[in-house]
Amino acid sequence: MSHKAGFVNIIGNPNVGKSTLMNAFVGEKLSIITSKAQTTRHRILGIVNGDDFQVLFSDTPGIIKPAYELQESMMGFVKSAFEDADVLIYMVEIGEQALKDEAFFKKITSSKIPVLLLLNKIDRSDQETLETQVQLWAKKVPNAEIIPISALEGFQVKEVFDRIIELLPESPPFYPKDQLTDKPERFFINESIREKILLHYKKEIPYAVEVDTEEFLEEEKIIRIRSVIMVERETQKGIIIGHKGSALKRVGVEARKDLEKFFGKQIHLELYVKVNKNWRSNQNQLKRFGYNQ
């Protein structure tokens, strides 16, 4: 029996639903999802296996014009998504008119590989608007196959997946068939904690934060985790901790619940907050956190 395998890389502006789509494909919450822009910072691989196929989905950061070193690194992950893709998913949402970076847009329109343009969030639209948007994108990206979807509601997600399988090249699997992602456990712990910070803190706080899991001890019935939340300034440290530690406690309780679901075990989670000045512009720190490839 022939076997298909390949890389399907998802790109688009911030907040168009890339992470929601990948989680829907994979059936697990691999990418964190919030209403804030720049939630995804890394390129995250989600692996979907069948008897005769293996699809390697990549969720990537939303395309922006970088303002500092961390964002430069994030856009590096997006650029790499063009290099190994067998199928490119370009995701837009209803009402969107253009990609924020013209150079990326030219890469999409001149792509030699199959491009699926997914018009997301159609559950928020009417038929007339949808038809207008389909016509607009058909002119802008004539090399793309346009499919209207709702990643959140699951509308047309299976149809997109079936089309991807059709487009994949014949190939043996790239990873073991029981593997879900290329990221280690600590990555998902860090992301779960960071998601709660994105949800509960305002202004610059979520963007000045990085999480580092220093200890991961798995016992028979419990996993013991110690993680450090890095901020750039002392004032941010105070905000993260909150009055008598209440804000930090809320982050810890919510992250622990998510991690217990993810690992299927009881979790003991200890959280600390440290100041790591200007880490977003420090090459050595970025490398330590896995940003500089």
Side-chain angles (χ1 to χ4, degrees), residues 80-240:
S80 73
F82 284 95
E83 289 161 15
D84 59 15
D86 295 293
V87 177
L88 194 63
I89 290 180
Y90 172 32
M91 203 159 177
V92 299
E93 65 178 355
I94 288 286
E96 207 174 328
Q97 302 293 322
L99 197 61
K100 288 178 180 171
D101 188 302
E102 197 60 37
F104 278 118
F105 195 72
K106 281 179 182 166
K107 279 190 172 185
I108 294 163
T109 54
S110 61
S111 174
K112 298 290 186 283
I113 58 166
V115 177
L116 299 180
L117 191 151
L118 304 187
L119 185 52
N120 192 29
K121 304 184 184 179
I122 64 166
D123 48 305
R124 300 182 185 177
S125 176
D126 55 53
Q127 190 62 32
E128 189 180 341
T129 306
L130 176 58
E131 287 172 8
T132 304
Q133 287 273 285
V134 169
Q135 289 168 7
L136 169 83
W137 288 109
K139 284 179 187 171
K140 280 182 176 285
V141 195
N143 58 318
E145 193 176 322
I146 299 173
I147 308 174
I149 69 161
S150 170
L152 192 62
E153 302 294 331
F155 178 72
Q156 294 255 84
V157 171
K158 186 183 182 302
E159 287 78 1
V160 173
F161 186 82
D162 291 344
R163 182 65 182 127
I164 287 165
I165 299 295
E166 288 174 8
L167 292 169
L168 285 184
E170 287 198 5
S171 166
F174 291 90
Y175 288 87
K177 283 285 193 143
D178 59 353
Q179 194 165 333
L180 183 66
T181 181
D182 64 335
K183 296 289 186 209
E185 285 107 336
R186 291 181 191 224
F187 176 83
F188 296 102
I189 296 164
N190 298 345
E191 288 290 272
S192 182
I193 296 163
R194 198 168 64 82
E195 179 187 49
K196 305 313 170 195
I197 293 166
L198 277 155
L199 289 170
H200 292 305
Y201 297 87
K202 294 175 183 174
K203 297 182 180 175
E204 91 284 359
I205 294 293
Y207 303 105
V209 161
E210 184 56 59
V211 182
D212 185 29
T213 294
E214 294 186 337
E215 191 173 279
F216 180 91
L217 297 173
E218 187 163 6
E219 299 171 13
E220 190 180 346
K221 293 183 179 176
I222 192 169
I223 301 172
R224 301 184 188 278
I225 298 165
R226 185 175 72 238
S227 300
V228 176
I229 297 168
M230 307 278 187
V231 293
E232 291 192 311
R233 298 196 297 276
E234 283 291 339
T235 51
Q236 293 165 348
K237 180 178 176 180
I239 294 167
I240 289 284

Side-chain angles (χ1 to χ4, degrees), residues 50-67:
D51 290 338
D52 59 350
F53 66 82
Q54 182 177 80
V55 191
L56 306 153
F57 288 104
S58 273
D59 184 16
T60 61
I63 294 169
I64 53 171
K65 289 201 169 164

